[in-house]
């Protein structure tokens, strides 16, 4: 189908398939005009059409689409709204409590507050919904203020390792006393002195309806002293318990606050723990630090010794490798020198032999009844001819070949080649036949020989 896309005031005709979906059309617009899918504002398509709807069906009464980029200010405004919403969640706990209490008693207007599920709270919101929304928000605030650990196992491990008391706060977002306690804590923790006091402790928090509370119950069941002081199966929420490290890695429970937890009670308990246990914990912590520092020094010393041993081993291996390579290089060079010397010596002997043979060969005799004319065919196709006395030994023929340049180019040592006569078939070599005369070998007249 033919449509017109108006982008920057210039309608552009486009031929598109009838069954193209709006999602595919947006991708096509990105390719055609460079406007990212998330930035596109498309006018001319009915509102409420999803990306799976077909463009042809949606545009039944029009053939014009206007494409533009989303306004930056609109996006910025939406982002600011989201930030404001998050700030509303994390706003001061006292303001939240007062607003919601006024709302529930009908003494004020509607507060701008959202729960964890993005539900707006107004006059129609039930008390249970208000408590739950407030509890969820306050638990996040207090969690952040106390820098609480999400895992009871991790929190206990940190407390044992650092020899510090552990605050355990167990609550329920649907429990009014828990909500009031969380609000009180958030308000009290805005005081720098109270915040500094809690920094001495590790903290763990959990809703009674979560798996972390179940993990806490297992720890209580495995610790008889804690089990004697808490009733884990029938908890009265909220519970604030402070555990202090004792010998053997155990944790001792200071008298817990159960049910109605007031601000003064909470911080008085912390002060009581500090007064009763801080000196001992400081000594234990110092001893632990000394032990850990000694262990660190020992580990560093051991690591240094190990590194030195490894370095020495590497140096020895490198030295051995270098010496081995030097010996191999020297051996290789010696072998090359030996080979070159042997070749040189062999060549010198061959040259001396040739000089001697040149003298022994003498001058080529004139043709007569006592001479034999030998025509020697070389492997490269060339041939050489010379007359010899019948009484000459076959070795003189090999001398002659040894002195000929073409033969030397094809044979490193001519004494190792053979002279072959085709008819009658004979193969003559220096070692076997060299001492026999030509006449003894029936080489008379003109004879053709082939060098092999």
């Amino acid at each position: 189908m033919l449509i017109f896309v108006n982008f920057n005031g210039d309608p552009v005709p486009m031929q598109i398939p009838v069954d193209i979906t709006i999602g595919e059309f947006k991708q096509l617009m990105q390719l055609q005009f460079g406007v990212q899918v998330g930035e596109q504002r498309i006018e001319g398509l009915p509102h409420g059409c999803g990306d799976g709807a077909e463009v042809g069906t949606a545009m039944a009464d029009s053939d014009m689409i206007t494409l533009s980029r989303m306004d930056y200010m609109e996006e910025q405004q939406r982002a600011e709204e989201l930030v404001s919403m998050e700030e509303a969640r994390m706003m001061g706990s006292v303001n939240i409590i007062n607003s919601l209490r006024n709302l529930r008693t009908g003494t004020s207007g509607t507060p701008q507050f959202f729960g964890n599920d993005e539900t707006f709270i107004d006059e129609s919101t039930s008390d249970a919904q208000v408590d739950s929304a407030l509890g969820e928000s306050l638990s996040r605030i207090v969690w952040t203020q106390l820098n609480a650990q999400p895992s009871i196992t991790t929190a206990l491990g940190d407390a044992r390792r650092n020899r510090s008391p552990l605050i355990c706060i167990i609550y329920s977002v649907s429990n009014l006393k828990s909500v009031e306690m969380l609000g009180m804590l958030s308000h009290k923790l805005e005081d720098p002195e109270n915040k500094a006091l809690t920094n001495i402790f590790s903290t763990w928090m959990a809703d009674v309806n979560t798996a972390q509370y179940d993990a806490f119950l297992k720890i209580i069941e495995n610790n008889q002293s804690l089990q004697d002081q808490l009733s884990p199966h029938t908890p009265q929420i909220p519970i604030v318990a402070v555990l202090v490290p004792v010998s053997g890695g155990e944790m001792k429970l200071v008298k817990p606050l159960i049910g109605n937890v007031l601000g003064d009670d909470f911080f008085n308990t912390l002060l009581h723990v500090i007064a009763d246990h801080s000196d001992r914990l400081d000594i234990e912590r110092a001893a632990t630090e000394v032990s850990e520092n000694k262990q660190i020094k020992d580990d560093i010393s051991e690591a240094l010794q190990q590194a030195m041993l490894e370095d020495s081993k590497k140096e020895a291996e490198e030295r051995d490798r270098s010496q081995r390579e030097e010996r191999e290089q020297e051996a290789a060079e010696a072998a090359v020198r030996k080979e070159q010397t042997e070749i040189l010596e062999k060549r010198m002997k061959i040259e001396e032999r040739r000089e001697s043979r040149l003298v022994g060969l003498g001058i080529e005799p004139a043709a007569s009844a006592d001479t034999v004319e030998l025509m020697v065919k070389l492997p490269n196709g060339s041939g050489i001819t010379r007359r010899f006395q019948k009484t000459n030994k076959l070795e003189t023929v090999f001398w002659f070949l040894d002195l000929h340049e073409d033969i030397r180019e094809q044979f490193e040592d001519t004494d190792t080649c053979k002279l072959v006569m085709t008819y009658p078939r004979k193969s003559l070599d220096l070692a076997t036949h060299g001492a026999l005369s030509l006449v003894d070998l029936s080489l008379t007249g003109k004879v053709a020989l082939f060098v092999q």
Side-chain angles (χ1 to χ4, degrees):
M1 62 178 293
L2 178 65
I3 65 170
F4 292 88
V5 179
N6 185 358
F7 183 62
N8 293 333
D10 298 320
V12 178
M14 295 185 66
Q15 192 76 28
I16 63 172
V18 177
D19 58 351
I20 188 173
T21 65
I22 292 177
E24 294 169 338
F25 179 76
K26 290 179 179 179
Q27 295 178 6
L28 180 63
M29 295 299 95
Q30 177 178 340
L31 294 174
Q32 183 72 21
F33 299 104
V35 183
Q36 299 291 329
V37 171
E39 299 175 354
Q40 294 179 20
R41 181 195 301 280
I42 299 177
E43 298 178 5
L45 295 176
H47 293 292
C49 291
D51 285 351
E54 295 181 356
V55 175
T57 303
M59 295 184 58
D61 300 328
S62 175
D63 61 355
M64 176 65 74
I65 286 179
T66 300
L67 175 69
S68 62
R69 285 185 170 87
M70 290 182 65
D71 183 48
Y72 170 77
M73 294 303 295
E74 178 184 348
E75 292 185 86
Q76 184 69 15
Q77 181 180 359
R78 174 58 181 160
E80 290 175 355
E81 289 175 357
L82 293 176
V83 171
S84 298
M85 187 181 301
E86 185 62 24
E87 289 176 349
R89 288 201 189 99
M90 301 301 291
M91 60 189 272
S93 57
V94 175
N95 294 334
I96 294 175
I97 293 173
N98 292 337
S99 297
L100 288 175
R101 285 179 174 171
N102 290 336
L103 169 66
R104 293 170 64 183
T105 58
T107 59
S108 71
T110 301
Q112 297 298 314
F113 174 75
F114 287 78
N116 190 44
D117 58 355
E118 305 291 344
T119 302
F120 185 73
I121 297 175
D122 56 19
E123 289 83 350
S124 64
T125 307
S126 68
D127 289 352
Q129 289 174 318
V130 170
D131 290 341
S132 179
L134 180 58
E136 290 171 357
S137 181
L138 288 174
S139 66
R140 290 194 300 273
I141 294 172
V142 175
W143 193 299
T144 302
Q145 289 174 316
L146 293 176
N147 193 25
Q149 290 280 2
S151 165
I152 181 61
T153 304
T154 303
L156 283 171
D158 289 347
R160 291 190 181 105
R161 182 173 57 256
N162 299 326
R163 308 302 294 170
S164 62
L166 173 63
I167 305 172
C168 297
I169 301 176
I170 301 168
Y171 61 93
S172 172
V173 296
S174 60
N175 177 272
L176 180 58
K177 290 183 178 180
S178 293
V179 174
E180 291 174 347
M181 179 199 70
L182 292 171
M184 174 275 301
L185 285 180
S186 178
H187 175 56
K188 290 284 187 179
L189 288 171
E190 292 173 359
D191 185 335
E193 292 185 3
N194 291 333
K195 185 67 174 68
L197 178 62
T198 60
N199 288 339
I200 301 173
F201 298 75
S202 299
T203 307
W204 167 77
M205 295 176 58
D207 191 293
V208 73
N209 298 310
T210 63
Q212 277 301 307
Y213 178 68
D214 295 336
F216 177 76
L217 293 183
K218 291 182 179 179
I219 293 173
I220 294 296
E221 291 172 356
N222 293 333
N223 190 313
Q224 188 61 46
S225 63
L226 296 182
Q227 190 177 8
D228 292 342
Q229 298 178 71
L230 283 180
S231 178
H233 299 292
T234 57
Q236 300 179 43
I237 304 303
I239 297 174
V240 176
V242 180
L243 305 179
V244 294
V246 293
S247 60
E250 295 294 325
M251 301 292 288
K252 178 182 178 181
L253 176 67
V254 176
K255 184 178 179 180
L257 305 175
I258 300 176
N260 189 18
V261 180
L262 301 177
D264 291 340
D265 294 338
F266 178 85
F267 289 99
N268 286 338
T269 298
L270 299 189
L271 291 172
H272 173 75
V273 170
I274 293 174
D276 288 353
H277 303 280
S278 60
D279 291 343
R280 176 180 61 83
L281 293 178
D282 287 343
I283 294 172
E284 292 178 357
R285 192 178 301 112
T288 301
E289 290 177 358
V290 170
S291 177
E292 289 178 349
N293 290 337
K294 182 179 182 303
Q295 184 62 45
I296 291 173
K297 290 180 180 179
D298 292 343
D299 291 344
I300 293 174
S301 177
E302 183 179 352
L304 288 174
Q305 291 180 0
Q306 185 64 29
M308 292 174 63
L309 289 175
E310 292 179 357
D311 289 343
S312 299
K313 182 179 178 181
K314 289 180 180 179
E315 290 176 359
E317 291 176 351
E318 180 65 22
R319 186 168 54 252
D320 292 343
R321 185 189 63 80
S322 178
Q323 292 175 353
R324 184 173 62 255
E325 290 179 352
E326 289 179 1
R327 290 193 298 270
E328 291 174 353
Q329 180 68 20
E330 291 175 356
E333 292 175 355
V336 171
R337 289 194 298 270
K338 180 180 178 182
E339 182 181 3
Q340 292 175 343
T341 300
E342 291 175 350
I343 292 173
L344 181 60
E345 291 176 351
K346 185 176 180 180
R347 288 178 178 175
M348 292 177 62
K349 290 180 180 179
I350 291 174
E351 290 300 322
E352 292 174 357
R353 184 187 69 189
R354 285 172 178 165
E355 292 177 2
S356 175
R357 288 178 174 180
L358 180 60
V359 175
L361 185 61
I363 300 173
E364 182 180 4
S368 68
D370 295 325
T371 61
V372 178
E373 186 174 344
L374 297 180
M375 292 172 289
V376 182
K377 202 74 168 178
L378 305 180
N380 64 2
S382 62
I384 54 176
T385 303
R386 193 184 191 282
R387 291 183 296 276
F388 296 87
Q389 297 289 341
K390 291 180 180 180
T391 57
N392 286 149
K393 296 179 180 180
L394 183 64
E395 65 179 5
T396 57
V397 179
F398 280 92
W399 294 354
F400 169 68
L401 296 176
D402 191 28
L403 297 171
H404 201 280
E405 189 67 29
D406 289 344
I407 292 288
R408 290 207 300 263
E409 290 178 355
Q410 299 176 57
F411 293 92
E412 183 178 357
D413 188 355
T414 56
D415 287 357
T416 61
C417 66
K418 294 181 179 180
L419 297 174
V420 178
M421 186 170 62
T422 57
Y423 186 82
R425 181 72 179 179
K426 285 184 180 181
S427 179
L428 307 174
D429 62 78
L430 180 60
T432 305
H433 307 94
L436 300 176
S437 65
L438 299 181
V439 68
D440 292 338
L441 295 171
S442 301
L443 300 177
T444 59
K446 291 184 178 182
V447 181
L449 299 173
F450 295 88
V451 177
Q452 289 185 348

